[in-house]
Amino acid sequence: MDKQLYTILIYSENVVGILNLVTAVFTRLQVNIESLNVSPSGIPNVHKYTVTIFSDDEQQVKKLVKQIEKKVDVIKADYYLDSEIFTSEVALFKISTPIVMAHPEISRLIRHTDSRMLEVNETYISVHVCSSSKIIIELYKALARFKCILQYTRSGCVAITRGKEEKVSAFLKEHQNAQLRFMEEGINNDEA
């Protein structure tokens, strides 16, 4: 069975040490992280962790997400397939100018991915790519065949869901409503 790429979105409060708690779950279950990105989310005081992994076992991914959600400062965690989210990554390549000049098909490869050249000099060409992980990996493999890569780096994946509202937003609204009901019940009980 082929391994499937899963994107796990984790929402938490911005608390020192939470990244360590989250990555410990991956280590304990022996799941290798393909990419990791942490940033503020669109929800005030909530941070978003975007983690990508390859797995051939969806049950293992479900178990992983459940264990992550059990961590104290984690608000919500879910996993998604590529069809359920929009993703993007950034990659930077530094490639050899003499090799590119000797092989014009390299320039065509770069243009085909809608990449842009940041700097061109007699020694190297810096290339910026903003695309899916799949396209970036394919470009890397194609350039590697020419042995022209001098330096290469990729960012972590960033993702947004395809639905109108993120699951964490619905969860937070429900949680907030439950707190209000609890407080109202307490006030009504005190008045009785």
Side-chain angles (χ1 to χ4, degrees):
M1 182 178 194
D2 288 340
K3 289 192 173 194
Q4 173 77 41
L5 180 68
Y6 292 92
T7 302
I8 301 170
L9 301 182
I10 305 161
Y11 296 87
S12 77
E13 297 177 38
N14 187 15
V15 178
V16 173
I18 190 70
L19 179 59
N20 188 42
L21 293 174
V22 168
T23 56
V25 176
F26 288 87
T27 303
R28 192 170 45 257
L29 293 177
Q30 298 183 348
V31 175
N32 192 42
I33 295 173
E34 177 70 14
S35 75
L36 170 67
N37 182 295
V38 181
S39 65
S41 72
I43 302 165
N45 304 315
V46 175
H47 270 59
K48 181 178 185 177
Y49 299 71
T50 305
V51 184
T52 59
I53 62 168
F54 283 100
S55 180
D56 55 6
D57 183 1
E58 188 171 4
Q59 293 306 314
Q60 179 190 37
V61 177
K62 286 181 182 179
K63 180 180 179 181
L64 178 73
V65 168
K66 283 182 182 176
Q67 288 191 17
I68 290 169
E69 274 195 325
K70 289 180 183 178
K71 299 299 174 194
V72 173
D73 296 310
V74 171
I75 298 167
K76 185 87 176 120
D78 285 297
Y79 70 93
Y80 300 87
L81 298 174
D82 282 346
S83 61
E84 301 169 308
I85 57 174
F86 296 105
T87 63
S88 186
E89 276 192 42
V90 172
L92 294 172
F93 292 87
K94 185 184 283 186
I95 56 178
S96 168
T97 302
I99 295 174
V100 172
M101 297 304 287
H103 301 280
E105 58 268 33
I106 295 174
S107 292
R108 284 192 291 277
L109 283 169
I110 293 168
R111 283 193 308 274
H112 180 70
T113 60
D114 290 329
S115 303
R116 59 186 190 130
M117 294 183 187
L118 301 174
E119 181 179 1
V120 178
N121 64 40
E122 60 198 32
T123 309
Y124 64 84
I125 300 169
S126 296
V127 179
H128 175 268
V129 186
C130 183
S131 192
S132 68
S133 302
K134 181 180 177 184
I135 289 173
I136 290 171
I137 291 167
E138 287 173 1
L139 179 61
Y140 174 83
K141 289 177 180 176
L143 294 174
R145 285 193 291 274
F146 290 99
K147 297 184 173 141
C148 65
I149 301 173
L150 302 174
Q151 291 182 36
Y152 165 73
T153 190
R154 276 172 52 198
S155 69
C157 178
V158 292
I160 56 173
T161 60
R162 289 186 182 262
K164 288 183 179 180
E165 186 175 59
E166 290 188 77
K167 291 179 184 177
V168 70
S169 297
F171 173 82
L172 288 171
K173 283 180 188 172
E174 182 181 306
H175 184 71
Q176 187 177 26
N177 289 339
Q179 283 183 322
L180 289 173
R181 283 193 304 275
F182 178 76
M183 288 174 58
E184 287 172 358
E185 288 172 7
I187 291 170
N188 290 338
N189 289 338
D190 286 345
E191 292 173 355

